[in-house]
Amino acid sequence: MGPIDKRNRLDKEPFGYRIAKNNTVFIDYQGKPIKSLKGTEAEKFLQKINAAQDSKEVQLILAKITGNFKRGNERLASTKKKRSP
């Protein structure tokens, strides 16, 4: 798994997930919710998680399912002031 996680960011285990009573899966990044899965998407996800060999593989599955949600400009976008008309 070395070539996939070149900077070893998944070793810190930034992703987590919770399963609700209605089988909805909530995925977190550093304790903040970023995605929720329901229905067949949640079932497929849970099958992949149960088949994972170790925690790093679980982190990789979580990273892939969340997609490219961080682009590096989150702080900049949140500090920009809105123009008034």
Side-chain angles (χ1 to χ4, degrees), residues 5 15 22 28 30 39 42 44-46 49 59 66 74:
D5 186 24
F15 293 98
N22 60 357
D28 304 329
Q30 295 182 347
K44 289 179 184 178
F45 167 77
L46 291 173
I49 291 294
Q59 290 294 307
T66 57
E74 291 83 9

Side-chain angles (χ1 to χ4, degrees), residues 13-74:
E13 297 187 6
F15 293 98
Y17 68 96
R18 296 170 284 140
I19 304 170
K21 289 182 181 179
N22 60 357
N23 285 337
T24 301
V25 177
F26 298 99
I27 300 175
D28 304 329
Y29 179 75
Q30 295 182 347
K32 297 177 184 175
I34 55 170
K35 187 167 184 155
S36 62
L37 308 172
K38 295 180 181 179
T40 56
E41 190 177 17
E43 290 174 18
K44 289 179 184 178
F45 167 77
L46 291 173
Q47 288 174 355
K48 288 180 183 179
I49 291 294
N50 291 332
Q53 301 290 328
D54 57 3
S55 63
K56 191 157 186 175
E57 190 173 345
V58 169
Q59 290 294 307
L60 183 61
I61 292 168
L62 289 165
K64 285 183 177 182
I65 203 151
T66 57
N68 190 8
F69 76 97
K70 283 185 74 74
R71 298 183 184 272
N73 61 353
E74 291 83 9

